[in-house]
Amino acid sequence: MNKNSLRTYLSSSYQGARSFLEHIIHPIFGKEHFADEYEAEILTNQPEYEGLAAAAGIQSIKQVGKVYVGVEPLQIFDITVGSQVHMARNRVGIQQLIRRIMDTHSLAFMLFHYEDGGAESQESWEWRFTFCHKGASQTDTTSSKRFTFLLGPGQHCRTATDNFQRLIDKRGVVEVKDIEDAFSVEALNKEFFDKYRQHYATFVEYITGKRYVKGVSGKRSKSPSPMPSYGSSSVGMRSVYVIMSRSY
């Protein structure tokens, strides 16, 4: 699968856990390293989760399988939410359930989606990918690191595509740090502002005929003369910010 196909897949409605394994898990970790849990239903086997699940509007939690990242098992969960749940807004109840699940796991990929055939609007076909990691030194599950992306129709999925592609390019040699680096907020912010500066420089050059050039010392230099100050180009900055935000 090339990068364009990957983005098309992530921008599509949820196609099931097996499809996610085929398109994401196997290319990243290798099919031979996947241990199947045959979608065991956790709410049946561990009824202590039922209260939190009901409060969060969650209908089913299936343990799809696991792969080992170094010595740590990365669990993969398929989680069905009710039609009353707003995927982009209902975070508190879902986070409480995630913390509870992570009491007994250190590493997990979680796939949140609506029940098949239960969607009446484009919003209802959205699905959420969450990566959770609780390090060995983290005794409190509330400190688990969580990285979440909203996927599906109507979502650009550019950043998620780039992140998964970085892991796929590792060709099976993936460590926990690689996954954290791919989805970390710091990395995403750096990528965003690097591209923002490029777009802004092009925008200013188009308007003024002058190009922003970053010197070795990190200071702005002229090419052929200094660009206007940020204060004098606030409208331009806002315009570029809107363009960049929409592209993600």
Side-chain angles (χ1 to χ4, degrees):
M1 177 186 291
N2 59 38
K3 194 171 183 178
N4 288 335
S5 298
L6 177 60
R7 187 172 181 179
T8 298
Y9 173 76
L10 296 175
S11 300
S12 302
S13 58
Y14 187 63
Q15 299 176 39
R18 296 293 151 182
S19 177
F20 188 82
L21 293 178
E22 178 185 348
H23 289 89
I24 304 295
I25 299 300
H26 294 165
I28 293 175
F29 301 100
K31 185 176 182 179
E32 67 277 12
H33 299 300
F34 174 73
D36 206 325
E37 299 285 353
Y38 301 101
E39 300 186 23
E41 177 56 66
I42 288 182
L43 294 182
T44 299
N45 299 330
Q46 297 175 266
E48 62 270 21
Y49 292 136
E50 288 181 352
L52 281 174
I58 289 174
Q59 300 176 345
S60 170
I61 307 174
K62 295 178 180 178
Q63 195 162 0
V64 179
K66 63 186 174 184
V67 291
Y68 277 88
V69 183
V71 297
E72 290 191 70
L74 186 153
Q75 305 288 339
I76 302 161
F77 296 97
D78 176 283
I79 302 173
T80 304
V81 302
S83 59
Q84 76 277 14
V85 174
H86 291 279
M87 198 78 74
R89 305 175 195 168
N90 187 18
R91 296 184 178 182
V92 176
I94 289 177
Q95 286 177 356
Q96 288 177 341
L97 182 64
I98 289 175
R99 293 190 190 107
R100 186 65 182 274
I101 292 175
M102 294 305 292
D103 281 345
T104 53
H105 301 289
S106 63
L107 205 61
F109 281 176
M110 299 185 180
L111 307 169
F112 294 86
H113 62 93
Y114 295 98
E115 187 173 7
D116 294 342
E120 298 179 357
S121 66
Q122 179 171 300
E123 179 183 349
S124 297
W125 286 116
E126 293 173 338
W127 50 294
R128 176 187 289 182
F129 166 81
T130 296
F131 163 57
C132 305
H133 179 219
K134 182 180 66 180
S137 62
Q138 295 173 308
T139 56
D140 184 357
T141 57
T142 61
S143 63
S144 297
K145 297 180 180 179
R146 294 182 298 275
F147 307 99
T148 294
F149 288 92
L150 199 60
L151 307 171
Q155 303 298 324
H156 292 289
C157 300
R158 177 177 178 177
T159 301
T161 299
D162 289 344
N163 294 345
F164 281 122
Q165 189 64 54
R166 289 190 192 101
L167 296 176
I168 291 172
D169 289 343
K170 293 280 184 179
R171 297 292 189 271
V173 186
V174 178
E175 299 179 356
V176 174
K177 188 177 184 302
D178 295 323
I179 304 175
E180 285 200 336
D181 287 347
F183 294 108
S184 72
V185 174
E186 291 80 5
L188 297 182
N189 284 343
K190 181 180 185 302
E191 178 186 10
F192 177 88
F193 284 107
D194 283 347
K195 291 181 179 179
Y196 172 87
R197 282 190 289 269
Q198 294 172 14
H199 281 272
Y200 183 70
T202 301
F203 180 82
V204 171
E205 184 178 28
Y206 175 78
I207 297 297
T208 68
K210 303 166 187 176
R211 181 77 179 181
Y212 169 88
V213 178
K214 186 174 181 180
V216 176
S217 63
K219 297 181 180 179
R220 283 176 289 170
S221 60
K222 60 184 180 178
S223 177
S225 58
M227 63 183 280
S229 67
Y230 286 145
S232 65
S233 303
S234 58
V235 174
M237 287 188 68
R238 286 196 297 271
S239 300
V240 176
Y241 179 80
V242 170
I243 293 171
M244 288 295 295
S245 297
R246 288 177 179 174
S247 71
Y248 277 72

